Amino acid sequence: MEKFEVKTLQTYTVRSGDTIWKIAQAHRVGLRELLLANPQINNPDRISVGQKINIPQQAPHRGMEEEIVRLVNVERARHNLRPLTENWEVSRVARFKSQDMINNNYFAHNSPVFGTPFEMLRNFGIRFTSAAENIAFGQPTAAAVMNAWMNSPGHRANILNPNFTQMGAGVARRGATGPFFYTQMFIRP
């Protein structure tokens, strides 16, 4: 099983009608991360009104991820294409992929843990009719990685594909000062 650090961002007090799944969705975090941040929950199906739930931090490099999505839409606008909507669940999968490349010391579309990008999306419950993935590492900024992708015909084609309607961006960093790993995932539901 992959090891991911979970940092608590805030505490949420359970209200009438809440479920762990509803709390995860409302705070845009994965169910797995929510449960990892709450080892005091013995049975996820049994939470009580008034119970305190730790809400994990969304992502340490969330600002870079948002900038990548923004820059994708800038490029799409330059080519008279509709903007893509960020799907937070796809960004979560992309973040896992970037971290997986660091954890398992590889740089490839096929993960030794999760399989192909398509298998990974399906295993995380993402439904799609078409999908694509761009990966990169080493660029110091969102602008630099977007520049690299736009100068690569295959990556550029994914970014400018008129059939995609949603995307996710995931960024992870090897250590405190190591290189960044980037993943973009594009889908059409």
Side-chain angles (χ1 to χ4, degrees):
M1 183 58 81
E2 290 290 295
K3 182 180 178 185
F4 292 92
E5 185 178 341
V6 178
K7 294 181 181 175
T8 298
L9 176 64
Q10 66 185 48
T11 301
Y12 175 80
T13 303
V14 176
R15 297 181 220 161
S16 180
D18 279 343
T19 65
I20 288 292
W21 184 84
K22 284 181 183 178
I23 294 167
Q25 292 293 302
H27 290 90
R28 293 185 163 210
V29 297
L31 188 58
R32 178 180 174 201
E33 293 85 46
L34 188 62
L35 291 172
L36 284 172
N38 292 280
Q40 78 280 10
I41 297 175
N42 296 324
N43 182 347
D45 295 328
R46 302 193 76 181
I47 57 174
S48 305
V49 172
Q51 183 176 357
K52 302 291 185 195
I53 305 289
N54 296 318
I55 305 299
Q57 178 179 341
Q58 251 188 359
H61 305 292
R62 184 67 187 132
M64 289 180 82
E65 294 169 354
E66 290 171 339
E67 180 64 0
I68 289 168
V69 173
R70 188 189 75 76
L71 291 171
V72 163
N73 285 326
V74 166
E75 290 297 335
R76 290 177 67 85
R78 285 185 186 148
H79 293 85
N80 298 316
L81 295 169
R82 289 187 323 258
L84 299 178
T85 302
E86 182 182 14
N87 179 317
W88 75 265
E89 292 174 299
V90 175
S91 285
R92 177 177 172 254
V93 175
R95 197 173 303 120
F96 268 82
K97 174 62 180 277
S98 293
Q99 188 62 53
D100 183 57
M101 288 190 285
I102 293 168
N103 291 354
N104 291 295
N105 199 31
Y106 74 96
F107 180 71
H109 290 288
N110 291 346
S111 162
V113 174
F114 298 110
T116 69
F118 313 108
E119 291 168 332
M120 187 173 185
L121 284 164
R122 282 188 199 102
N123 288 335
F124 275 80
I126 307 296
R127 294 180 182 201
F128 58 90
T129 57
S130 62
E133 177 185 80
N134 288 345
I135 57 174
F137 82 96
Q139 294 83 1
T141 65
V145 74
M146 276 300 297
N147 186 52
W149 279 326
M150 289 305 291
N151 285 313
S152 164
H155 296 111
R156 179 186 178 96
N158 287 339
I159 291 167
L160 299 178
N161 185 324
N163 295 316
F164 294 130
T165 58
Q166 298 178 8
M167 74 167 290
V171 178
R173 188 171 202 176
R174 180 176 283 151
T177 60
F180 288 103
F181 283 69
Y182 303 92
T183 305
Q184 289 178 319
M185 291 181 159
F186 304 93
I187 66 166
R188 179 179 189 91

